[in-house]
Amino acid sequence: GSHGLRCLLRLLSQPSCGLRLLEAVGCQGLERPIYQASDPSGAYKLDLNLPHSRSLLRLLYKTCETLKLDFQQAFQKLQYTPASSLGRSVAEPRFQHP
């Protein structure tokens, strides 16, 4: 998806990267909204099992802190789907978050 392509482009920009060519055939539009610092409002669908979703959530929280917004005011219409209802097993968290 778009997040993976962005990661590959960042990798290619590093001087230490051994890749010299990336051919992205068949790439289409974005499958979900991407954070925009100038206007972070919008609907986000995050899967907290994925690193980029957790990173985006942290970025949204940091934006609230910077703008001195109350989290309850900034995050509205939250929906939560337990992993067990998605056919995933519920296990101990793999990551410790501050």
Side-chain angles (χ1 to χ4, degrees):
S2 60
H3 294 289
L5 183 58
R6 187 165 66 174
C7 289
L8 287 172
L9 291 173
R10 289 175 68 190
L11 174 67
L12 283 171
S13 70
Q14 299 299 314
S16 60
C17 178
L19 295 174
R20 296 291 170 236
L21 175 67
L22 173 66
E23 188 173 343
V25 178
C27 291
Q28 297 183 7
L30 304 174
E31 67 270 4
R32 65 179 77 96
I34 292 181
Y35 174 83
Q36 295 179 24
S38 61
D39 183 13
S41 65
Y44 294 90
K45 184 174 182 178
L46 304 175
D47 181 347
L48 299 180
N49 287 309
L50 303 174
H52 65 267
S53 287
R54 292 190 304 272
S55 177
L56 178 56
L57 183 59
R58 282 191 297 272
L59 187 57
L60 290 168
Y61 272 114
K62 286 181 183 180
T63 301
C64 287
E65 290 174 350
T66 300
L67 298 175
K68 296 180 177 29
L69 290 174
D70 179 53
F71 298 140
Q72 298 295 326
Q73 179 186 4
F75 295 100
Q76 300 174 2
K77 298 181 184 176
L78 296 177
Q79 295 178 345
Y80 168 74
T81 305
S84 59
S85 69
L86 297 173
R88 298 180 183 153
S89 63
V90 180
E92 291 295 318
R94 296 183 314 197
F95 303 98
Q96 296 296 324
H97 298 287

